Amino acid sequence: MPQIAGTFDAYLNQAVALDARLGAAARVLLAVAAAAVEMTGLVDLGRLYGQLGASLASTNTDGDVQKELDVLANDMFVGAFRQAPVAAVVSEEMSEPLVLDSAAQLAVAIDPLDGSSNIDSNVSIGTIFSILPVLAKANGTEAHFLQPGRMQIAAGFVIYGPQTSIVFALGNGQTQIFTLDRRAGRFYQAVSAPVIDRESAEYAINASNYRHWEAPVRAFIDDCEQGTEGPLKRDHTMRWTGSLVADTYRILLRGGIFLYPGDQRAGYNHGRLRLLYEANPIALIVERAAGIATDGLHPILDIVPSAIHARVPLVFGSAAPVGLVARYHSDPQFSARAPLFGKRGLMRL
Ligand code: AHG
Ligand code: MN
Ligand code: MN
């Protein structure tokens, strides 16, 4: 797909002119962008609007306490999808799929508000979305959503931060970033299509869970921490925002690796992040920007979902360190700890 400087609408028009089958997905992207402008107005106001970060009495399907903004965001995006060719929506905030227009061509999975714990901290938060073609024949609404992420016709996220940007891939296109000019209320391409550096020495992981991790993850992080004195022979640095969208954006722009592995805490054996509306869209964005996304070993986009709210371990970012983590998982000598430390050094990829 050609590089097009200019407006979001112009990019979509050009993509549809080249491939008319992308027309419906482009309309959904326009609906996402319109809702994102509305969300930006709300997020900008913060406490001036009200208690956006306040916990409600309700919990979502995963048992997380819902925040005021989780619910407002869900209503806003579902409202936007009612104006687009969307057959059904799966949302983090709704236990069951919601049927909108059963004659429409697309199914949308969404995390309406990612990074809820950061709402009151004035740290970037976002919305993550995945757009799938509906199946010609489906046994129930859920079936449309239980396709591997490779089938996504478009996906991406909106980040509400110092800038509001929509990050997406449409059809076979590269990942694109369009930024909202708040004065005009329109998105423009401010940076060219990102390409994730192959190498990086920056990692993102919630290290407070160290004692719960499995051996391969511990060994990799141990080796990062050892810096020049360890087998990786390079000093590393660490970043963790608590907002997947913010960590992803940073990795797109300057490389790095993100890990939310499975761990031994109750309910965390597949990690925390959800396959349909967190891992799959992020994996598409990352792959279309020359990065890799795995569950530690296998590509995220090849996984056949077992349930609409299924969780999955997620490792993504720069190709070299993500490949190395796969090696730590597949080769016991890599995940062995101190005794083989020196040997691991000798056996470096
Ligand atoms: P959500 O706000 O949609 O529940 O997602 C939060 C996610 C993700 O944004 C972030 O990477 C991760 O949870 C943070 O988890 P910890 O609090 O365990 O670090
Ligand atoms: Mn989330
Ligand atoms: Mn969420």
Side-chain angles (χ1 to χ4, degrees):
M1 193 152 307
Q3 282 284 312
I4 311 150
T7 66
F8 181 61
D9 299 32
Y11 177 89
L12 297 181
N13 286 337
Q14 174 111 16
V16 175
L18 292 171
D19 184 350
R21 289 168 302 180
L22 300 178
R27 284 177 60 200
V28 176
L29 287 170
L30 286 171
V32 169
V37 174
E38 211 181 325
M39 278 288 291
T40 299
L42 210 63
V43 173
D44 275 3
L45 283 171
R47 290 300 281 264
L48 295 177
Y49 178 89
Q51 305 261 328
L52 291 173
S55 299
L56 304 176
S58 51
T59 55
N60 67 19
T61 176
D62 288 316
D64 296 338
V65 172
Q66 288 180 308
K67 304 283 179 71
E68 173 100 23
L69 192 55
D70 284 321
V71 175
L72 285 171
N74 189 63
D75 293 349
M76 236 177 242
F77 280 93
V78 169
F81 296 141
R82 287 186 195 281
Q83 316 299 321
V86 176
V89 181
V90 156
S91 164
E92 183 186 12
E93 306 306 332
M94 304 189 296
S95 54
E96 302 296 327
L98 177 69
V99 176
L100 296 183
D101 171 5
S102 48
Q105 300 167 36
L106 301 171
V108 179
I110 188 160
D111 176 358
L113 201 284
D114 176 67
S116 320
S117 70
N118 283 324
I119 296 169
D120 280 342
S121 314
N122 203 5
V123 169
S124 298
I125 51 181
T127 299
I128 312 175
F129 58 91
S130 163
I131 307 174
L132 287 159
V134 295
L135 298 172
K137 279 190 182 160
N139 187 8
T141 308
E142 287 199 359
H144 298 298
F145 293 92
L146 301 179
Q147 307 182 56
R150 200 71 70 196
M151 302 304 293
Q152 293 171 108
I153 186 165
F157 63 90
V158 180
I159 182 166
Y160 314 104
Q163 301 128 30
T164 288
S165 291
I166 182 165
V167 180
F168 67 98
L170 171 61
N172 294 321
Q174 281 176 273
T175 292
Q176 302 291 339
I177 303 178
F178 282 70
T179 300
L180 178 65
D181 181 336
R182 292 174 202 215
R183 301 162 302 184
R186 300 180 76 182
F187 287 86
Y188 295 89
Q189 188 177 37
V191 287
S192 55
V195 177
I196 301 174
D197 293 338
R198 200 190 133 68
E199 303 280 345
S200 171
E202 193 161 88
Y203 63 96
I205 193 164
N206 184 340
S208 67
N209 297 318
Y210 182 93
R211 70 187 189 286
H212 306 296
W213 296 337
E214 306 287 352
V217 176
R218 282 193 192 200
F220 175 70
I221 298 299
D222 285 346
D223 290 353
C224 291
E225 288 184 0
Q226 292 284 335
T228 51
E229 290 152 40
L232 302 181
K233 305 223 177 309
R234 199 170 168 188
D235 286 333
H236 283 61
T237 186
M238 202 279 288
R239 294 283 184 280
W240 180 256
T241 64
S243 288
L244 176 60
V245 289
D247 287 319
T248 306
Y249 196 94
R250 184 190 63 253
I251 288 170
L252 286 169
L253 272 293
R254 68 166 199 230
I257 180 171
F258 173 104
L259 305 95
Y260 208 122
D263 66 51
Q264 286 167 354
R265 287 174 294 165
Y268 280 80
N269 59 330
H270 295 291
R272 173 184 170 115
L273 301 171
R274 279 57 56 118
L275 176 58
L276 258 57
Y277 41 81
E278 291 181 315
N280 271 341
I282 298 297
L284 191 77
I285 290 302
V286 166
E287 282 202 5
R288 297 293 177 78
I292 302 183
T294 72
D295 63 357
L297 197 53
H298 312 103
I300 289 288
L301 295 178
D302 291 338
I303 298 173
V304 180
S306 57
I308 57 171
H309 294 293
R311 296 175 193 249
V312 71
L314 179 59
V315 179
F316 71 83
S318 295
V322 176
L324 195 56
V325 167
R327 189 78 189 271
Y328 278 71
H329 278 86
S330 60
D331 184 341
Q333 298 216 316
F334 266 70
S335 44
R337 302 196 64 207
L340 285 172
F341 181 84
K343 253 190 163 174
R344 275 211 314 278
L346 292 173
M347 293 168 52
R348 259 174 23 103
L349 288 178

